[in-house]
Amino acid sequence: MVDISYLELTKMVDFFYNMSYDDDIPEETEQETVPCISPLQLHARMFALGDRYDIAGLREAAVKKYSSRCATAWMPLEFLESISDLYERTPASIRNYAMQLAFWLERIYQRCSTMNPLQLFMKRSLLSSLTLRGIC
């Protein structure tokens, strides 16, 4: 478990005891200094752990928390930061998160009509980047 951070491991153990994990992300822990990650990145990483160790409940909890976070506290930058964790840590065969991602990308498209030119440029740059990586 060398490639799992202390934060991810403690969240996974919390899940085993409580069938859930909290969204609290400390700035640093006693065991390691972790770069600040967003709640969406945490949920993407927890989904990847659930997939790696075949823990269906953890995968389902992560998807629910990810979707809920997107629906209740929409932060485009946080969403964009979670995309790399989502695609780099999960196999291509996993489509549950991909479907959620497609749903939220559609919401980004819908908001384009209210964007100023800089926002529209950033969105187009993001979509070009995702297309090059084979995500869209």
Side-chain angles (χ1 to χ4, degrees):
M1 287 195 189
V2 175
D3 59 336
I4 299 175
S5 73
Y6 178 76
L7 174 66
E8 295 165 17
L9 182 61
T10 57
K11 300 292 181 186
M12 188 167 68
V13 170
D14 285 347
F15 177 80
F16 291 143
Y17 281 103
N18 304 314
M19 296 308 292
S20 186
Y21 62 91
D22 61 46
D23 298 346
D24 297 334
I25 301 172
E27 299 253 340
E28 70 182 55
T29 63
E30 293 175 12
Q31 276 67 23
E32 65 181 335
T33 303
V34 247
C36 186
I37 63 170
S38 70
L40 287 181
Q41 286 177 296
L42 173 66
H43 302 318
R45 292 175 184 191
M46 297 308 293
F47 178 85
L49 285 176
D51 181 62
R52 178 186 301 166
Y53 297 109
D54 197 23
I55 307 166
L58 183 57
R59 287 192 307 260
E60 291 167 10
V63 168
K64 286 179 186 175
K65 288 177 177 279
Y66 190 95
S67 297
S68 175
R69 175 77 180 178
C70 286
T72 60
W74 178 248
M75 297 179 160
L77 183 58
E78 181 180 341
F79 173 75
L80 298 177
E81 290 171 342
S82 73
I83 292 173
S84 63
D85 283 318
L86 178 61
Y87 279 89
E88 291 173 2
R89 294 173 179 248
T90 58
S93 61
I94 300 299
R95 295 293 173 229
N96 205 2
Y97 250 13
M99 289 170 30
Q100 294 293 326
L101 178 63
F103 173 76
W104 292 109
L105 281 174
E106 180 62 29
R107 288 195 61 186
I108 290 173
Y109 278 126
Q110 292 170 356
R111 293 175 185 209
C112 286
S113 62
T114 61
M115 289 183 175
N116 67 38
L118 178 60
Q119 291 172 318
L120 191 56
F121 171 77
M122 296 299 287
K123 183 192 119 342
R124 287 183 180 152
S125 296
L126 162 71
L127 293 175
S128 296
S129 174
L130 293 176
T131 302
L132 289 174
R133 295 183 72 190
I135 295 173
C136 289

